[in-house]
Amino acid sequence: MSGRRWVPLVLVVVTQVVGLVLVSTLVVGDAPHDAPVTIVAPAVVGQALADRADAAGTLDASTTQDRREGVDRLESGAATAVVVVDLATERDLVLVPGSQDPQLTAAVVAHVRALSASLGRTLDVEEVPPRASVLDRRVVDLAPLAAVAAGMLGVAALAWWRGPQARTAQDGVRRAAASVVLSAVVGLALAIAAATATSGPWLGWWLVLGATTLAACAVTQALLSVLDVWGLALAVAVLLLTALPALAGTDPWQQPVAWRSVTSWLPHAAGLDAARAVAFRQGSGVATSLGVLVAWVAASFATSALARRERRRDEESSRSDDRGDGHVEHRRTR
């Protein structure tokens, strides 16, 4: 390998190291950022408390007068806590989901407790069991990341075996078909494990994890098509940097709003959102996240096809130029 070929490799390694340090310092944390909280109280009282909670910037408070509605938000994952205000006493109740990350729950409860204390009120905490009989949050969070890693490794293995780039349209179709088959197999294997740990539904898990794996395959192949082997390095760098908070156990509501807003449009984050939606039985959330994954798959396959066509056009132009130069040289010799 020539000296010039080492330069991009060094830059990728340095970028990853610097990025990991910055992400670990600025993104991975234990403080909530706009974590959704529902306040159950009469309209005037609830709105006053919500405004006070919003002013702190750590909680995003909404109100309702119906306790059942608040509990529904809690069980569906739309709220990290529900505060039930009891005007007859100075003692309120905060409901937290049993399926939620304990670190996030502790951070949210601490801020709600501080808000209650500033009003001279006390707070009791009660845990609401998850709607599913079994719900392992570690599986919910790690299964999509495993799907992304499997997709990238599959494309990397194919690149090592067949080369990083497809030379013909038929080769491109075969690679796309291989990605679909790999995604179906990996998605099914992960879906069985996830359904066992979360009490199903396994078909929803298969759809989500298969789509996540396929998006990872398609994006990695597109980067390889455009940037050759350095595309794989870029894919690994993006995965490591953007997945680090999840790997460190940081809930999305503990990530800065700007970071969460950007990364939610990336394949692995969309897979995480879809997995949580499946676990909490949120149909609309699944549809939205699947739309993001489908968009990535379509854009990536189109990018691979365009890159292959442009590369073939350049090769044909180069061969045509070589034939022209040879013909001119032959005439000069004669």
Side-chain angles (χ1 to χ4, degrees), residues 288-330:
T288 301
S289 299
L290 282 178
V292 174
L293 293 173
V294 169
W296 274 105
V297 171
S300 298
F301 280 157
T303 299
S304 297
L306 289 173
R308 183 175 60 251
R309 188 178 69 177
E310 292 299 318
R311 189 166 54 251
R312 186 173 181 179
R313 183 179 298 173
D314 291 342
E315 290 174 353
E316 290 177 351
S317 176
S318 178
R319 285 196 295 267
S320 176
D321 291 342
D322 291 341
R323 286 195 298 269
D325 292 343
H327 183 63
V328 170
E329 184 66 26
H330 179 67

mmCIF file of all heavy atoms in Angstrom, residues 288-330:
data_model
loop_
_atom_site.group_PDB
_atom_site.id
_atom_site.type_symbol
_atom_site.label_atom_id
_atom_site.label_comp_id
_atom_site.label_asym_id
_atom_site.label_seq_id
_atom_site.Cartn_x
_atom_site.Cartn_y
_atom_site.Cartn_z
ATOM 1 N N THR A 288 -44.056 5.250 11.191
ATOM 2 C CA THR A 288 -43.163 6.384 10.934
ATOM 3 C C THR A 288 -41.706 5.937 10.813
ATOM 4 O O THR A 288 -40.993 6.329 9.886
ATOM 5 C CB THR A 288 -43.292 7.420 12.060
ATOM 6 O OG1 THR A 288 -44.648 7.876 12.132
ATOM 7 C CG2 THR A 288 -42.369 8.601 11.815
ATOM 8 N N SER A 289 -41.267 5.110 11.741
ATOM 9 C CA SER A 289 -39.872 4.650 11.726
ATOM 10 C C SER A 289 -39.597 3.750 10.530
ATOM 11 O O SER A 289 -38.527 3.812 9.920
ATOM 12 C CB SER A 289 -39.559 3.913 13.029
ATOM 13 O OG SER A 289 -39.729 4.762 14.147
ATOM 14 N N LEU A 290 -40.565 2.902 10.178
ATOM 15 C CA LEU A 290 -40.388 2.059 8.997
ATOM 16 C C LEU A 290 -40.297 2.909 7.738
ATOM 17 O O LEU A 290 -39.563 2.572 6.804
ATOM 18 C CB LEU A 290 -41.542 1.066 8.879
ATOM 19 C CG LEU A 290 -41.498 -0.156 9.794
ATOM 20 C CD1 LEU A 290 -42.748 -1.015 9.596
ATOM 21 C CD2 LEU A 290 -40.242 -0.989 9.538
ATOM 22 N N GLY A 291 -41.034 4.019 7.692
ATOM 23 C CA GLY A 291 -40.935 4.925 6.559
ATOM 24 C C GLY A 291 -39.534 5.472 6.395
ATOM 25 O O GLY A 291 -39.019 5.591 5.272
ATOM 26 N N VAL A 292 -38.888 5.813 7.520
ATOM 27 C CA VAL A 292 -37.499 6.300 7.472
ATOM 28 C C VAL A 292 -36.578 5.206 6.937
ATOM 29 O O VAL A 292 -35.711 5.458 6.079
ATOM 30 C CB VAL A 292 -37.044 6.751 8.872
ATOM 31 C CG1 VAL A 292 -35.557 7.120 8.868
ATOM 32 C CG2 VAL A 292 -37.875 7.943 9.344
ATOM 33 N N LEU A 293 -36.753 3.980 7.415
ATOM 34 C CA LEU A 293 -35.904 2.874 6.963
ATOM 35 C C LEU A 293 -36.105 2.584 5.484
ATOM 36 O O LEU A 293 -35.133 2.363 4.745
ATOM 37 C CB LEU A 293 -36.211 1.622 7.794
ATOM 38 C CG LEU A 293 -35.821 1.686 9.276
ATOM 39 C CD1 LEU A 293 -36.345 0.463 10.017
ATOM 40 C CD2 LEU A 293 -34.309 1.802 9.442
ATOM 41 N N VAL A 294 -37.353 2.581 5.032
ATOM 42 C CA VAL A 294 -37.642 2.331 3.613
ATOM 43 C C VAL A 294 -37.019 3.418 2.741
ATOM 44 O O VAL A 294 -36.468 3.138 1.660
ATOM 45 C CB VAL A 294 -39.163 2.249 3.380
ATOM 46 C CG1 VAL A 294 -39.490 2.264 1.891
ATOM 47 C CG2 VAL A 294 -39.735 0.994 4.017
ATOM 48 N N ALA A 295 -37.074 4.664 3.209
ATOM 49 C CA ALA A 295 -36.474 5.768 2.445
ATOM 50 C C ALA A 295 -34.963 5.570 2.310
ATOM 51 O O ALA A 295 -34.388 5.802 1.232
ATOM 52 C CB ALA A 295 -36.783 7.095 3.123
ATOM 53 N N TRP A 296 -34.310 5.123 3.386
ATOM 54 C CA TRP A 296 -32.871 4.873 3.328
ATOM 55 C C TRP A 296 -32.555 3.731 2.357
ATOM 56 O O TRP A 296 -31.593 3.799 1.593
ATOM 57 C CB TRP A 296 -32.331 4.541 4.723
ATOM 58 C CG TRP A 296 -31.973 5.742 5.526
ATOM 59 C CD1 TRP A 296 -32.656 6.285 6.572
ATOM 60 C CD2 TRP A 296 -30.808 6.564 5.349
ATOM 61 N NE1 TRP A 296 -32.010 7.395 7.054
ATOM 62 C CE2 TRP A 296 -30.875 7.585 6.334
ATOM 63 C CE3 TRP A 296 -29.731 6.539 4.466
ATOM 64 C CZ2 TRP A 296 -29.891 8.574 6.438
ATOM 65 C CZ3 TRP A 296 -28.749 7.525 4.582
ATOM 66 C CH2 TRP A 296 -28.841 8.524 5.557
ATOM 67 N N VAL A 297 -33.359 2.675 2.393
ATOM 68 C CA VAL A 297 -33.126 1.542 1.493
ATOM 69 C C VAL A 297 -33.264 1.986 0.035
ATOM 70 O O VAL A 297 -32.402 1.689 -0.809
ATOM 71 C CB VAL A 297 -34.108 0.396 1.807
ATOM 72 C CG1 VAL A 297 -34.021 -0.687 0.733
ATOM 73 C CG2 VAL A 297 -33.795 -0.209 3.169
ATOM 74 N N ALA A 298 -34.332 2.708 -0.267
ATOM 75 C CA ALA A 298 -34.561 3.148 -1.646
ATOM 76 C C ALA A 298 -33.453 4.084 -2.124
ATOM 77 O O ALA A 298 -32.923 3.931 -3.232
ATOM 78 C CB ALA A 298 -35.923 3.841 -1.751
ATOM 79 N N ALA A 299 -33.101 5.061 -1.289
ATOM 80 C CA ALA A 299 -32.055 6.016 -1.668
ATOM 81 C C ALA A 299 -30.704 5.323 -1.833
ATOM 82 O O ALA A 299 -29.929 5.649 -2.744
ATOM 83 C CB ALA A 299 -31.957 7.121 -0.620
ATOM 84 N N SER A 300 -30.419 4.345 -0.976
ATOM 85 C CA SER A 300 -29.125 3.657 -1.046
ATOM 86 C C SER A 300 -29.023 2.778 -2.280
ATOM 87 O O SER A 300 -27.989 2.758 -2.963
ATOM 88 C CB SER A 300 -28.919 2.821 0.223
ATOM 89 O OG SER A 300 -28.884 3.646 1.373
ATOM 90 N N PHE A 301 -30.096 2.015 -2.593
ATOM 91 C CA PHE A 301 -30.064 1.190 -3.803
ATOM 92 C C PHE A 301 -29.943 2.063 -5.056
ATOM 93 O O PHE A 301 -29.230 1.714 -6.003
ATOM 94 C CB PHE A 301 -31.327 0.336 -3.883
ATOM 95 C CG PHE A 301 -31.277 -0.899 -3.017
ATOM 96 C CD1 PHE A 301 -32.445 -1.528 -2.594
ATOM 97 C CD2 PHE A 301 -30.074 -1.442 -2.629
ATOM 98 C CE1 PHE A 301 -32.401 -2.665 -1.798
ATOM 99 C CE2 PHE A 301 -30.007 -2.578 -1.834
ATOM 100 C CZ PHE A 301 -31.178 -3.190 -1.418
ATOM 101 N N ALA A 302 -30.634 3.211 -5.058
ATOM 102 C CA ALA A 302 -30.535 4.127 -6.200
ATOM 103 C C ALA A 302 -29.116 4.686 -6.315
ATOM 104 O O ALA A 302 -28.564 4.799 -7.423
ATOM 105 C CB ALA A 302 -31.540 5.265 -6.054
ATOM 106 N N THR A 303 -28.506 5.014 -5.180
ATOM 107 C CA THR A 303 -27.131 5.530 -5.195
ATOM 108 C C THR A 303 -26.155 4.493 -5.736
ATOM 109 O O THR A 303 -25.265 4.806 -6.539
ATOM 110 C CB THR A 303 -26.708 5.940 -3.772
ATOM 111 O OG1 THR A 303 -27.577 6.978 -3.303
ATOM 112 C CG2 THR A 303 -25.275 6.439 -3.750
ATOM 113 N N SER A 304 -26.321 3.239 -5.309
ATOM 114 C CA SER A 304 -25.446 2.167 -5.812
ATOM 115 C C SER A 304 -25.590 2.004 -7.322
ATOM 116 O O SER A 304 -24.600 1.836 -8.042
ATOM 117 C CB SER A 304 -25.786 0.850 -5.104
ATOM 118 O OG SER A 304 -25.531 0.937 -3.716
ATOM 119 N N ALA A 305 -26.836 2.049 -7.812
ATOM 120 C CA ALA A 305 -27.068 1.895 -9.249
ATOM 121 C C ALA A 305 -26.463 3.049 -10.038
ATOM 122 O O ALA A 305 -25.823 2.846 -11.079
ATOM 123 C CB ALA A 305 -28.568 1.796 -9.521
ATOM 124 N N LEU A 306 -26.634 4.273 -9.553
ATOM 125 C CA LEU A 306 -26.076 5.441 -10.243
ATOM 126 C C LEU A 306 -24.552 5.413 -10.233
ATOM 127 O O LEU A 306 -23.908 5.726 -11.240
ATOM 128 C CB LEU A 306 -26.593 6.725 -9.590
ATOM 129 C CG LEU A 306 -28.074 7.049 -9.819
ATOM 130 C CD1 LEU A 306 -28.499 8.259 -8.988
ATOM 131 C CD2 LEU A 306 -28.336 7.312 -11.303
ATOM 132 N N ALA A 307 -23.979 5.044 -9.086
ATOM 133 C CA ALA A 307 -22.521 4.983 -9.000
ATOM 134 C C ALA A 307 -21.970 3.923 -9.948
ATOM 135 O O ALA A 307 -20.939 4.141 -10.602
ATOM 136 C CB ALA A 307 -22.105 4.673 -7.561
ATOM 137 N N ARG A 308 -22.666 2.782 -10.041
ATOM 138 C CA ARG A 308 -22.215 1.732 -10.951
ATOM 139 C C ARG A 308 -22.300 2.194 -12.399
ATOM 140 O O ARG A 308 -21.392 1.944 -13.210
ATOM 141 C CB ARG A 308 -23.079 0.480 -10.743
ATOM 142 C CG ARG A 308 -22.660 -0.702 -11.591
ATOM 143 C CD ARG A 308 -23.467 -1.956 -11.247
ATOM 144 N NE ARG A 308 -24.895 -1.764 -11.457
ATOM 145 C CZ ARG A 308 -25.791 -1.672 -10.483
ATOM 146 N NH1 ARG A 308 -25.406 -1.726 -9.206
ATOM 147 N NH2 ARG A 308 -27.077 -1.508 -10.757
ATOM 148 N N ARG A 309 -23.377 2.895 -12.762
ATOM 149 C CA ARG A 309 -23.531 3.378 -14.137
ATOM 150 C C ARG A 309 -22.458 4.412 -14.474
ATOM 151 O O ARG A 309 -21.857 4.367 -15.561
ATOM 152 C CB ARG A 309 -24.917 3.997 -14.320
ATOM 153 C CG ARG A 309 -25.229 4.360 -15.766
ATOM 154 C CD ARG A 309 -26.624 4.911 -15.902
ATOM 155 N NE ARG A 309 -26.738 6.232 -15.262
ATOM 156 C CZ ARG A 309 -27.836 6.979 -15.287
ATOM 157 N NH1 ARG A 309 -28.927 6.514 -15.882
ATOM 158 N NH2 ARG A 309 -27.862 8.153 -14.701
ATOM 159 N N GLU A 310 -22.193 5.337 -13.556
ATOM 160 C CA GLU A 310 -21.168 6.352 -13.817
ATOM 161 C C GLU A 310 -19.784 5.736 -13.914
ATOM 162 O O GLU A 310 -18.966 6.138 -14.743
ATOM 163 C CB GLU A 310 -21.198 7.410 -12.702
ATOM 164 C CG GLU A 310 -22.440 8.276 -12.692
ATOM 165 C CD GLU A 310 -22.578 9.061 -13.982
ATOM 166 O OE1 GLU A 310 -21.549 9.581 -14.483
ATOM 167 O OE2 GLU A 310 -23.700 9.151 -14.509
ATOM 168 N N ARG A 311 -19.533 4.742 -13.073
ATOM 169 C CA ARG A 311 -18.228 4.084 -13.117
ATOM 170 C C ARG A 311 -18.051 3.336 -14.433
ATOM 171 O O ARG A 311 -16.973 3.370 -15.043
ATOM 172 C CB ARG A 311 -18.116 3.136 -11.921
ATOM 173 C CG ARG A 311 -16.743 2.546 -11.717
ATOM 174 C CD ARG A 311 -16.603 1.900 -10.343
ATOM 175 N NE ARG A 311 -17.655 0.912 -10.098
ATOM 176 C CZ ARG A 311 -18.653 1.074 -9.234
ATOM 177 N NH1 ARG A 311 -18.747 2.190 -8.534
ATOM 178 N NH2 ARG A 311 -19.557 0.130 -9.067
ATOM 179 N N ARG A 312 -19.107 2.664 -14.896
ATOM 180 C CA ARG A 312 -19.022 1.948 -16.166
ATOM 181 C C ARG A 312 -18.848 2.923 -17.326
ATOM 182 O O ARG A 312 -18.087 2.654 -18.269
ATOM 183 C CB ARG A 312 -20.288 1.116 -16.365
ATOM 184 C CG ARG A 312 -20.244 0.220 -17.599
ATOM 185 C CD ARG A 312 -21.452 -0.695 -17.637
ATOM 186 N NE ARG A 312 -21.410 -1.566 -18.799
ATOM 187 C CZ ARG A 312 -22.332 -2.481 -19.058
ATOM 188 N NH1 ARG A 312 -23.361 -2.623 -18.231
ATOM 189 N NH2 ARG A 312 -22.226 -3.246 -20.131
ATOM 190 N N ARG A 313 -19.526 4.058 -17.246
ATOM 191 C CA ARG A 313 -19.390 5.068 -18.300
ATOM 192 C C ARG A 313 -17.967 5.603 -18.356
ATOM 193 O O ARG A 313 -17.394 5.791 -19.434
ATOM 194 C CB ARG A 313 -20.377 6.207 -18.054
ATOM 195 C CG ARG A 313 -20.378 7.284 -19.124
ATOM 196 C CD ARG A 313 -21.416 8.332 -18.790
ATOM 197 N NE ARG A 313 -22.757 7.754 -18.762
ATOM 198 C CZ ARG A 313 -23.838 8.419 -18.366
ATOM 199 N NH1 ARG A 313 -23.723 9.676 -17.947
ATOM 200 N NH2 ARG A 313 -25.024 7.831 -18.375
ATOM 201 N N ASP A 314 -17.370 5.828 -17.176
ATOM 202 C CA ASP A 314 -15.986 6.308 -17.131
ATOM 203 C C ASP A 314 -15.029 5.266 -17.694
ATOM 204 O O ASP A 314 -14.069 5.605 -18.400
ATOM 205 C CB ASP A 314 -15.596 6.646 -15.690
ATOM 206 C CG ASP A 314 -16.334 7.869 -15.167
ATOM 207 O OD1 ASP A 314 -16.865 8.643 -15.993
ATOM 208 O OD2 ASP A 314 -16.382 8.037 -13.931
ATOM 209 N N GLU A 315 -15.286 3.975 -17.384
ATOM 210 C CA GLU A 315 -14.409 2.923 -17.898
ATOM 211 C C GLU A 315 -14.505 2.821 -19.418
ATOM 212 O O GLU A 315 -13.488 2.654 -20.110
ATOM 213 C CB GLU A 315 -14.792 1.585 -17.251
ATOM 214 C CG GLU A 315 -14.450 1.509 -15.773
ATOM 215 C CD GLU A 315 -14.973 0.233 -15.129
ATOM 216 O OE1 GLU A 315 -15.710 -0.511 -15.825
ATOM 217 O OE2 GLU A 315 -14.657 -0.005 -13.953
ATOM 218 N N GLU A 316 -15.712 2.922 -19.953
ATOM 219 C CA GLU A 316 -15.889 2.870 -21.407
ATOM 220 C C GLU A 316 -15.233 4.069 -22.071
ATOM 221 O O GLU A 316 -14.614 3.942 -23.135
ATOM 222 C CB GLU A 316 -17.374 2.825 -21.745
ATOM 223 C CG GLU A 316 -18.054 1.517 -21.362
ATOM 224 C CD GLU A 316 -19.542 1.544 -21.651
ATOM 225 O OE1 GLU A 316 -20.051 2.642 -21.983
ATOM 226 O OE2 GLU A 316 -20.197 0.479 -21.542
ATOM 227 N N SER A 317 -15.345 5.241 -21.448
ATOM 228 C CA SER A 317 -14.707 6.432 -22.000
ATOM 229 C C SER A 317 -13.194 6.300 -21.980
ATOM 230 O O SER A 317 -12.512 6.682 -22.933
ATOM 231 C CB SER A 317 -15.138 7.662 -21.195
ATOM 232 O OG SER A 317 -14.471 8.827 -21.643
ATOM 233 N N SER A 318 -12.682 5.697 -20.895
ATOM 234 C CA SER A 318 -11.238 5.510 -20.796
ATOM 235 C C SER A 318 -10.737 4.531 -21.858
ATOM 236 O O SER A 318 -9.699 4.754 -22.493
ATOM 237 C CB SER A 318 -10.874 5.003 -19.400
ATOM 238 O OG SER A 318 -9.503 4.764 -19.289
ATOM 239 N N ARG A 319 -11.488 3.442 -22.075
ATOM 240 C CA ARG A 319 -11.081 2.476 -23.107
ATOM 241 C C ARG A 319 -11.154 3.101 -24.495
ATOM 242 O O ARG A 319 -10.296 2.853 -25.344
ATOM 243 C CB ARG A 319 -11.988 1.240 -23.041
ATOM 244 C CG ARG A 319 -11.694 0.322 -21.874
ATOM 245 C CD ARG A 319 -12.341 -1.040 -22.091
ATOM 246 N NE ARG A 319 -13.793 -0.931 -22.112
ATOM 247 C CZ ARG A 319 -14.572 -1.095 -21.035
ATOM 248 N NH1 ARG A 319 -14.012 -1.363 -19.862
ATOM 249 N NH2 ARG A 319 -15.887 -0.998 -21.128
ATOM 250 N N SER A 320 -12.159 3.948 -24.709
ATOM 251 C CA SER A 320 -12.280 4.613 -26.007
ATOM 252 C C SER A 320 -11.105 5.546 -26.240
ATOM 253 O O SER A 320 -10.549 5.603 -27.346
ATOM 254 C CB SER A 320 -13.597 5.392 -26.063
ATOM 255 O OG SER A 320 -13.708 6.114 -27.265
ATOM 256 N N ASP A 321 -10.690 6.260 -25.215
ATOM 257 C CA ASP A 321 -9.540 7.156 -25.343
ATOM 258 C C ASP A 321 -8.268 6.374 -25.622
ATOM 259 O O ASP A 321 -7.422 6.791 -26.423
ATOM 260 C CB ASP A 321 -9.371 7.976 -24.064
ATOM 261 C CG ASP A 321 -10.499 8.985 -23.881
ATOM 262 O OD1 ASP A 321 -11.189 9.290 -24.867
ATOM 263 O OD2 ASP A 321 -10.683 9.469 -22.736
ATOM 264 N N ASP A 322 -8.143 5.218 -24.934
ATOM 265 C CA ASP A 322 -6.940 4.399 -25.154
ATOM 266 C C ASP A 322 -6.884 3.895 -26.586
ATOM 267 O O ASP A 322 -5.813 3.885 -27.224
ATOM 268 C CB ASP A 322 -6.924 3.211 -24.184
ATOM 269 C CG ASP A 322 -6.701 3.655 -22.749
ATOM 270 O OD1 ASP A 322 -6.211 4.788 -22.558
ATOM 271 O OD2 ASP A 322 -7.019 2.877 -21.819
ATOM 272 N N ARG A 323 -8.035 3.458 -27.133
ATOM 273 C CA ARG A 323 -8.062 2.984 -28.518
ATOM 274 C C ARG A 323 -7.730 4.120 -29.482
ATOM 275 O O ARG A 323 -7.018 3.934 -30.469
ATOM 276 C CB ARG A 323 -9.432 2.394 -28.851
ATOM 277 C CG ARG A 323 -9.673 1.022 -28.230
ATOM 278 C CD ARG A 323 -10.868 0.345 -28.890
ATOM 279 N NE ARG A 323 -12.090 1.107 -28.687
ATOM 280 C CZ ARG A 323 -12.926 0.923 -27.667
ATOM 281 N NH1 ARG A 323 -12.649 -0.013 -26.763
ATOM 282 N NH2 ARG A 323 -14.024 1.654 -27.561
ATOM 283 N N GLY A 324 -8.220 5.336 -29.186
ATOM 284 C CA GLY A 324 -7.941 6.471 -30.054
ATOM 285 C C GLY A 324 -6.474 6.841 -30.050
ATOM 286 O O GLY A 324 -5.875 7.103 -31.093
ATOM 287 N N ASP A 325 -5.834 6.821 -28.878
ATOM 288 C CA ASP A 325 -4.411 7.142 -28.779
ATOM 289 C C ASP A 325 -3.572 6.110 -29.513
ATOM 290 O O ASP A 325 -2.596 6.429 -30.199
ATOM 291 C CB ASP A 325 -3.985 7.188 -27.299
ATOM 292 C CG ASP A 325 -4.615 8.373 -26.581
ATOM 293 O OD1 ASP A 325 -5.089 9.292 -27.275
ATOM 294 O OD2 ASP A 325 -4.652 8.356 -25.325
ATOM 295 N N GLY A 326 -3.963 4.854 -29.410
ATOM 296 C CA GLY A 326 -3.215 3.804 -30.096
ATOM 297 C C GLY A 326 -3.318 3.942 -31.600
ATOM 298 O O GLY A 326 -2.355 3.703 -32.335
ATOM 299 N N HIS A 327 -4.503 4.318 -32.098
ATOM 300 C CA HIS A 327 -4.695 4.483 -33.535
ATOM 301 C C HIS A 327 -3.847 5.628 -34.075
ATOM 302 O O HIS A 327 -3.221 5.519 -35.128
ATOM 303 C CB HIS A 327 -6.183 4.720 -33.815
ATOM 304 C CG HIS A 327 -6.497 4.843 -35.270
ATOM 305 N ND1 HIS A 327 -6.296 3.804 -36.166
ATOM 306 C CD2 HIS A 327 -6.991 5.900 -35.995
ATOM 307 C CE1 HIS A 327 -6.657 4.185 -37.374
ATOM 308 N NE2 HIS A 327 -7.074 5.461 -37.302
ATOM 309 N N VAL A 328 -3.804 6.719 -33.333
ATOM 310 C CA VAL A 328 -2.993 7.871 -33.756
ATOM 311 C C VAL A 328 -1.516 7.499 -33.764
ATOM 312 O O VAL A 328 -0.782 7.818 -34.698
ATOM 313 C CB VAL A 328 -3.248 9.065 -32.822
ATOM 314 C CG1 VAL A 328 -2.242 10.169 -33.099
ATOM 315 C CG2 VAL A 328 -4.667 9.582 -32.986
ATOM 316 N N GLU A 329 -1.078 6.791 -32.719
ATOM 317 C CA GLU A 329 0.314 6.398 -32.663
ATOM 318 C C GLU A 329 0.659 5.451 -33.812
ATOM 319 O O GLU A 329 1.750 5.526 -34.391
ATOM 320 C CB GLU A 329 0.595 5.721 -31.298
ATOM 321 C CG GLU A 329 2.048 5.354 -31.062
ATOM 322 C CD GLU A 329 2.915 6.583 -30.961
ATOM 323 O OE1 GLU A 329 2.399 7.668 -30.581
ATOM 324 O OE2 GLU A 329 4.118 6.476 -31.277
ATOM 325 N N HIS A 330 -0.255 4.564 -34.163
ATOM 326 C CA HIS A 330 -0.024 3.635 -35.256
ATOM 327 C C HIS A 330 0.122 4.371 -36.578
ATOM 328 O O HIS A 330 1.000 4.065 -37.383
ATOM 329 C CB HIS A 330 -1.194 2.623 -35.323
ATOM 330 C CG HIS A 330 -1.036 1.648 -36.429
ATOM 331 N ND1 HIS A 330 -0.039 0.695 -36.473
ATOM 332 C CD2 HIS A 330 -1.770 1.460 -37.579
ATOM 333 C CE1 HIS A 330 -0.131 -0.035 -37.542
ATOM 334 N NE2 HIS A 330 -1.177 0.407 -38.248
#
